[in-house]
Amino acid sequence: MRLGKTVCAFARTASRRYFGGVHQLPHPDRLHYNAAEGWLLLGDPESALAELRRLGPRARGCACVRELEWGIHAERADWAQAAAVAEEIIRLAPEREFGWVHRAYALRRLPGHGGLERAWEALYPALELFPRSTTVPYNLACYAAQLGRFEQAWELFQRALKAAPRPKALVCMALADADLQPLWPRIRAEAKPCT
C-alpha cells in the first residue's frame, strides 16, 4: 500500500492537540472516526470517507471530524470539496489555525479558480489572528516566495523561525521545501543550517 503525498503532510501535523475533541465523540462514532483515520493513513481515502459517512449527525459537526474529512478530500485531490470543508472548519472553530491553513492549501490547488494569489489572500488574515503561529507565517513565506515577493517571504520565514519551538528543525524543513527554494541561499547564510 502507498501512503499518499498529501496525507503524509496531513499525518505529520496530526496530534492529540490537533485532533482535540475526538475523545468526546460517543460510541460508536469514535470507532468510525478511528477507522477512517486508519484508512486515510493507509492511503485509502475512499474507505476513510465511507467510515466518516457512518458517523451520526452530531459527530459530523465536530471540528475534529471535519479536519479528518479535509485530509480525505485532499488525498483524493478533490480541492473544491477540501476548500468547502476548510470553510466549515473555520466557521466551527475559528480559533484553530489549521482551518485557515487547509483552506489556503486547497485554494492553491483548486483548478480554474485557485492559485497562489488566492491562497495568499485566504491565509493572510490569519497572520494577525495567530500571532504565535509557526505554520501560518511559514506557509505565507512559501506563497510569497513562489509569487516572487522575496523580501516579504524572508520576513515571514523569520517570523515563523522566531515562533518555532524547534528552529533548527524548521530550517531543515525549509531547506527541503521546493516552495522556499528562492530563499535557500539566504537561509543557509543567515539562519543556522541543519547539520
Side-chain angles (χ1 to χ4, degrees):
M1 287 182 227
R2 69 164 187 77
L3 193 59
K5 290 179 190 173
T6 304
V7 77
C8 286
F10 179 75
R12 280 195 303 270
T13 63
S15 69
R16 289 224 177 266
R17 181 181 64 81
Y18 178 73
F19 287 119
V22 173
H23 64 281
Q24 296 173 356
L25 294 177
H27 181 76
D29 289 332
R30 191 177 332 167
L31 298 175
H32 295 305
Y33 177 93
N34 289 338
E37 184 180 30
W39 282 118
L40 182 60
L41 291 172
L42 288 171
D44 187 348
E46 301 309 321
S47 295
L49 194 56
E51 284 295 336
L52 279 192
R53 288 185 178 136
R54 298 177 73 185
L55 293 172
R58 190 168 145 231
R60 280 189 220 131
C62 291
C64 61
V65 171
R66 302 303 267 172
E67 288 172 346
L68 181 58
E69 184 182 357
W70 182 91
I72 293 167
H73 293 303
E75 181 63 18
R76 297 171 73 223
D78 184 350
W79 300 115
Q81 193 60 37
V85 169
E87 288 286 348
E88 187 67 15
I89 294 168
I90 293 168
R91 188 186 68 71
L92 289 170
E95 74 286 354
R96 292 172 99 148
E97 70 186 272
F98 286 104
W100 297 82
V101 172
H102 289 338
R103 178 178 62 179
Y105 190 92
L107 289 173
R108 177 179 181 177
R109 289 151 182 82
L110 189 63
H113 304 290
L116 285 163
E117 191 63 46
R118 188 142 181 238
W120 169 270
E121 291 169 1
L123 187 56
Y124 193 78
L127 197 59
E128 193 173 308
L129 295 172
F130 305 101
R132 294 188 176 132
S133 172
T134 302
T135 308
V136 171
Y138 182 89
N139 280 285
L140 284 169
C142 290
Y143 299 152
Q146 291 301 299
L147 288 165
R149 303 173 188 161
F150 303 125
E151 277 309 308
Q152 192 172 29
W154 179 251
E155 289 171 15
L156 288 161
F157 177 71
Q158 288 297 303
R159 183 169 172 170
L161 205 54
K162 286 177 186 164
R166 296 182 314 144
K168 205 169 191 176
L170 189 70
V171 169
C172 293
M173 186 171 81
L175 290 173
D177 191 332
D179 281 347
L180 291 176
Q181 188 171 4
L183 298 183
W184 286 355
R186 194 164 181 187
I187 291 170
R188 284 188 189 103
E190 297 182 38
K192 293 182 180 177
C194 50
T195 53

